[in-house]
Amino acid sequence: MTTRMVGAPVPRVEDERFVTGRGRYLDDVGRDALHAAVLRSPHAHARIRSIDVDAVLDCDGVHAVWTYDDLDGPMAEPLPLLIPHPDLTHGRTQHPLARDQVNYVGEAVALVVADDRYLAEDALASIVVDYEPLPPVVGVAAARAAEHLVHDDVPGNLAARGEQSNGDVAAALESAPHRLSLDLEIERSASMPLEGRGVVARFDPDNGRLQVWSSTQTSTGLRAALAAKLGLDLLAVDVITPDVGGGFGVKINHPWPEEVLVALAAMRLGRPVKFVEDRREHFIASAHERGQLHHVEVGFDDDGRVLGLDVRFWHDNGAYTPYGLIVPIITSTQLLGPYKPGAYHVVFDSLYTNTVIVTPYRGAGRPQGCFVMERTMDAIAAALGKDRTEVRAVNLIQPDEFPFDHGLVFQDGRELEYDSGDYPALLAKIKELVGWDEFETFRAEMAAEGRRVGLGLACYVEGTGVGPYEGAHVHVETSGKVKVATGLTTQGQGHQTAFAQIVADALGVPFEDVEVTTGDTRRMAYAVGTFASRAAVMSGSAIHLAALRAREKALRIAADALEASVDDLEIVDGVVQVRGTPGASIDLGTVAVLSNPLRYAFDEASKAATQFSVGDPGKPPVAEDDEPGLEGKDFYSPQRSTFAAGMHAVIVETDPDTAEISILKYAVVHDCGRLVNPLIVEGQIHGGVAQGVGGALYERMAYDDAGQLLNASFMDFLMPFVTEVPGSIDIDHLETLSPLNPLGIKGAGEAGVIPGSAAIAAAIEDAEGIPITAMPISPSQLFELRAARLEEER
């Protein structure tokens, strides 16, 4: 029998193409295209009195210059609010080009299309805009104070207020033997993929067809948005996603202003048009995340068991809300992690500020929630003088309590019900992996050398595989090769490898014979997108089901050809054979030939399928319930999300003099159900840990009071180098299968980043004996905390 592929650490097949320079990214497309450039607001908040573009009309090489007044119909309306919610009572989105007011530095004001980007940028400098500056609202405190409004028709800058509860929190807190209050903060950051946003559009007036290439995380979503905005039939729009140099959530938002504008320009000008943002544009005109303030009231007993948990937090959603309330909803629900508080109540305010919009960034609200919950657990342990793992242990959901319903509503509108897990086993594994019980001996040894170290732990649960659906098409060629298409997009997750492994097992073909295409609406017209750690769960399941359909058809056709029972057949290495009967077999490629009755023969193989060679004269060539071709198509639509889980532990060293923070050891235990490819999962964890380290120690968006982003370049926005990321990460896995999908898998894409700030904050606090309540933290901030403690002790 063929070796099972699912579960094998197969090296990624796509990597050879990438490392040899044969990747095809957005900027490799449209070499003959005109280039678009965007004039962006220099003000965080201002009225537009007038825009004078006359000088641009005299610039050589310029083909078009547009302001809002050049748009009409749906293009003159605001961009869509993608995820409406009853609590989002004052949702607002921007226009493709600002109409009469700008609300953040970087908002699109005018578009120029020219022969090349240089000419387009030069032409932008000729546009004269008369602005009337308005008082900007920057930061959560200013938004809450509401002395000024971002949008005149949004009272208190309040886009939404969300509230959920389970149990009587007030009573639980009142009767609890112990209570604590905490105020916790996570600052604003951003994902910074290697490749920024970009789009190329080409319109064929002869057939009315628009083709768009975009560095997006949802080709089908963008397709629908473009069709709606441009007044085209859905079937007249193709969206193709080429290789993507990272997404991490920022590219799930759609359509961006540039996407609809470039498509419209291609239609109006009859020429291909391209836009590729530069790095500064990505800083000031894409999307950020993470900025939230939290207040916690917790009541607990002598064992540290949480009896009541009341959380209030304030979410900075930037100037607009195109992606709805997904981030704060996830924080409010995933904050609970693997724990079961006696009663829980949460309220959040989503607030407008004159800053870049907020959409999900890898983790999507979970890093904030994990930080809040894990800092709370550590505070309980400190108050009781208990080991931090003991406090966690008494609060964990137990294996026999699954499925566990929290009595809340998750981001997908479905119940927050955990499907499976073994959290005590995760805790035991992480303690062993990091050397928890031996750490005090290590601390004493380091102290003897004048070195200061600390140990931190953080636990999390991640909702993955969010619906509504994904689909797949599996087609067997007459050569025996297998072509697989699924609609979600790829940004480096190894889909071409993992999905091929699934097909190889389900269909019984060599792994090398499977070719996977993603993110092309010509191949798969209906899909949702790549986000929320959903690719393996959603498309993986759909691909598995589609491959089984192709297998069922192959066995049925082969049974007729071999005059055998379907029950006696198997497919091994692409050959259908009768079990126990050597020589009684037929290649899968030949079965594909037989699956398509032909009138005409095109080669030797196709002769076998022509009308005088095959078929029963007493039956139609294609049965009523069948169709030509050896292929399978299916969709997977789960009732609710599946929930992965994990725990991270980290040992840090803090320099007694400079307050520099170094990571000495990092350990991860993760449960994503059945592992399709352990090598890919560990790669995802490594990348996530690197981003978690960045979010904990380096990355922050620094706005001044005028709404100017002060560090909008890689000279000033700090990210960890390879020297700051742990050189080795100790990883262990637990596999508790999900009952919600045919493969038993859960998502893994965001796991590495979620607990980073929480674990590192705990380790720094353990080293220093100073409460760490805000992240990221820099050496200078730690130095200031030390100075403040000394001042208090005097």
Side-chain angles (χ1 to χ4, degrees):
M1 291 294 291
T2 303
T3 302
R4 295 288 296 179
M5 294 301 298
V6 170
V10 179
R12 298 186 355 156
V13 297
E14 47 270 79
D15 286 348
E16 181 182 359
R17 187 165 56 85
F18 293 145
V19 300
T20 56
R22 291 181 289 122
R24 184 171 172 80
Y25 296 90
L26 190 283
D27 202 30
D28 296 316
V29 180
R31 296 295 180 126
D32 60 338
L34 302 175
H35 286 254
V38 178
L39 181 70
R40 303 189 182 279
S41 170
H43 299 282
H45 202 196
R47 291 191 183 92
I48 299 175
R49 291 196 183 106
S50 64
I51 305 176
D52 184 354
V53 300
D54 288 349
V56 179
L57 302 178
D58 296 328
C59 294
D60 291 337
V62 171
H63 294 258
V65 54
W66 296 345
T67 66
Y68 172 80
D69 291 339
D70 296 292
L71 307 178
D72 55 24
M75 283 292 295
E77 299 171 0
L79 295 171
L81 198 164
L82 293 170
I83 307 178
H85 191 280
D87 291 339
L88 186 53
T89 55
H90 292 78
R92 299 291 182 270
T93 61
Q94 68 190 87
H95 291 83
L97 294 171
R99 184 172 62 179
D100 48 22
Q101 184 170 304
V102 290
N103 290 311
Y104 64 93
V105 172
E107 185 163 357
V109 175
L111 179 86
V112 168
V113 180
D115 287 338
D116 58 45
R117 182 65 177 259
Y118 302 99
L119 292 174
E121 294 280 0
D122 289 345
L124 292 180
S126 301
I127 300 175
V128 178
V129 184
D130 183 11
Y131 292 101
E132 177 189 344
L134 299 171
V137 178
V138 182
V140 168
R144 290 177 64 189
E147 294 179 6
H148 305 289
L149 299 178
V150 176
H151 303 284
D152 292 339
D153 58 348
V154 179
N157 292 311
L158 186 63
R161 174 166 292 161
E163 182 172 7
Q164 294 199 63
S165 63
N166 186 8
D168 190 340
V169 168
L173 291 175
E174 182 67 27
S175 62
H178 309 279
R179 289 184 64 169
L180 285 173
S181 297
L182 296 90
D183 290 291
L184 303 162
E185 179 180 3
I186 294 283
E187 291 193 35
R188 178 180 277 234
S189 184
S191 58
M192 295 298 145
L194 282 173
E195 178 199 39
R197 299 177 297 117
V199 59
V200 176
R202 184 188 305 271
F203 184 71
D204 187 341
D206 293 333
N207 59 20
R209 192 162 202 84
L210 175 69
Q211 281 198 320
V212 174
W213 292 260
S214 176
S215 178
T216 182
Q217 290 178 230
T218 172
S219 55
T220 53
L222 178 57
R223 176 198 193 199
L226 291 173
K229 275 292 181 186
L230 300 172
L232 297 172
D233 292 338
L234 190 64
L235 294 179
V237 181
D238 298 323
V239 175
I240 303 103
T241 302
D243 293 327
V244 177
F248 310 115
V250 68
K251 296 176 183 177
I252 191 59
N253 188 60
H254 64 284
W256 291 98
E258 297 86 356
E259 287 173 323
V260 294
L261 291 168
V262 164
L264 179 63
M267 294 175 65
R268 287 188 178 179
L269 298 175
R271 295 274 302 276
V273 181
K274 172 192 272 189
F275 167 79
V276 177
E277 71 175 359
D278 60 34
R279 184 53 61 179
R280 176 170 171 78
E281 286 179 303
H282 190 78
F283 271 98
I284 67 170
S286 287
H288 300 165
E289 209 234 272
R290 298 283 196 266
Q292 290 181 180
L293 297 176
H294 315 80
H295 178 74
V296 179
E297 297 283 342
V298 62
F300 50 97
D301 65 17
D302 293 341
D303 294 323
R305 186 174 289 105
V306 175
L307 305 176
L309 180 65
D310 196 357
V311 178
R312 179 75 189 270
F313 70 92
W314 296 266
H315 169 73
D316 179 349
N317 59 228
Y320 301 102
T321 54
Y323 212 72
L325 301 175
I326 292 301
V327 172
I329 289 174
I330 292 176
T331 295
S332 67
T333 52
Q334 297 276 258
L335 180 149
L336 295 173
Y339 310 116
K340 49 177 180 180
Y344 176 59
H345 174 249
V346 62
V347 179
F348 68 78
D349 287 352
S350 190
L351 299 164
Y352 286 111
T353 61
N354 290 116
T355 56
V356 173
I357 65 170
V358 165
T359 65
Y361 161 34
R362 193 177 193 176
R366 296 177 189 86
Q368 300 96 305
C370 182
F371 181 73
V372 169
M373 194 74 225
E374 295 303 298
R375 293 279 67 212
T376 300
M377 285 292 172
D378 287 341
I380 292 171
L384 295 175
K386 286 184 169 291
D387 184 282
R388 290 168 286 170
T389 62
E390 292 179 14
V391 169
R392 286 169 170 83
V394 300
N395 285 284
L396 292 176
I397 299 166
Q398 298 302 302
D400 61 359
E401 294 182 282
F402 289 98
F404 189 90
D405 189 349
H406 276 292
L408 305 173
V409 178
F410 191 42
Q411 62 142 317
D412 56 0
R414 305 301 178 98
E415 63 272 19
L416 184 71
E417 182 176 295
Y418 294 176
D419 51 326
S420 67
D422 189 341
Y423 304 148
L426 287 174
L427 185 58
K429 280 179 174 285
I430 195 68
K431 289 180 65 177
E432 180 180 357
L433 200 59
V434 79
W436 186 275
D437 293 334
E438 298 78 33
F439 179 72
E440 289 307 321
T441 301
F442 176 70
R443 191 201 301 270
E445 293 172 352
M446 298 296 279
E449 300 176 10
R451 299 172 67 181
R452 187 179 299 173
V453 295
L455 172 61
L457 168 71
C459 313
Y460 64 93
V461 171
E462 178 195 359
T464 73
V466 177
Y469 70 88
E470 286 297 339
H473 180 250
V474 174
H475 174 80
V476 181
E477 295 278 357
T478 56
S479 64
K481 302 292 185 181
V482 182
K483 307 293 186 180
V484 181
T486 188
L488 56 64
T489 59
T490 297
Q491 302 91 41
Q493 297 91 338
H495 291 162
Q496 280 72 26
T497 303
F499 292 161
Q501 290 177 256
I502 292 171
V503 172
D505 277 358
L507 190 53
V509 297
F511 169 79
E512 297 79 11
D513 287 349
V514 183
E515 177 186 297
V516 178
T517 298
T518 62
D520 187 338
T521 62
R522 298 169 301 180
R523 294 285 302 276
M524 197 71 197
Y526 293 97
V528 180
T530 302
F531 56 93
S533 300
R534 67 190 300 273
V537 177
M538 301 298 297
S539 277
S541 294
I543 286 168
H544 173 77
L545 295 172
L548 290 181
R549 287 187 178 275
R551 175 188 176 86
E552 184 276 330
K553 185 170 186 178
L555 293 176
R556 176 164 44 82
I557 295 170
D560 287 341
L562 296 172
E563 298 181 343
S565 170
V566 168
D567 296 336
D568 294 332
L569 299 181
E570 61 182 356
I571 307 178
V572 179
D573 289 334
V575 177
V576 186
Q577 59 190 31
V578 180
R579 292 187 184 90
T581 307
S585 63
I586 183 173
D587 291 343
L588 204 56
T590 303
V591 178
V593 171
L594 298 177
S595 71
N596 181 25
L598 297 173
R599 181 174 179 83
Y600 308 110
F602 307 107
D603 53 27
E604 286 300 316
S606 60
K607 288 180 181 180
T610 54
Q611 56 197 16
F612 293 106
S613 301
V614 71
D616 184 344
K619 298 179 181 179
V622 179
E624 290 184 6
D625 59 347
D626 205 354
E627 57 187 32
L630 183 52
E631 54 190 24
K633 186 177 183 179
D634 213 330
F635 289 83
Y636 170 69
S637 181
Q639 183 177 347
R640 60 182 180 276
S641 299
T642 184
F643 289 85
M647 300 183 185
H648 291 203
V650 58
I651 297 174
V652 305
E653 180 177 4
T654 56
D655 190 284
D657 299 318
T658 66
E660 183 178 356
I661 302 160
S662 303
I663 295 173
L664 303 183
K665 182 181 180 67
Y666 205 105
V668 176
V669 176
H670 184 55
D671 177 7
C672 60
R674 175 171 284 118
L675 293 167
V676 176
N677 186 319
L679 197 63
I680 288 177
V681 171
E682 293 192 4
Q684 288 278 23
I685 291 172
H686 282 211
V689 168
Q691 284 186 302
V693 170
L697 300 178
Y698 302 101
E699 299 170 6
R700 60 160 57 86
M701 291 295 178
Y703 277 97
D704 66 12
D705 291 340
Q708 297 290 333
L709 185 58
L710 301 179
N711 59 339
S713 76
F714 284 159
M715 290 188 294
D716 301 304
F717 178 80
L718 299 181
M719 291 187 293
F721 293 168
V722 67
T723 49
E724 282 78 48
V725 176
S728 65
I729 301 170
D730 296 324
I731 300 176
D732 196 3
H733 298 285
L734 187 68
E735 294 185 71
T736 59
L737 305 189
S738 172
L740 300 182
N741 62 75
L743 295 170
I745 53 182
K746 307 173 186 178
E750 297 172 273
V753 74
I754 293 169
S757 287
I760 291 172
I764 295 170
E765 183 173 299
D766 185 51
E768 295 285 330
I770 302 172
I772 305 299
T773 60
M775 296 295 271
I777 186 170
S778 66
S780 60
Q781 289 172 309
L782 180 57
F783 193 90
E784 291 168 3
L785 288 174
R786 288 175 176 174
R789 179 179 60 181
L790 290 174
E791 186 66 27
E792 290 175 1
E793 292 174 350
R794 288 175 182 168

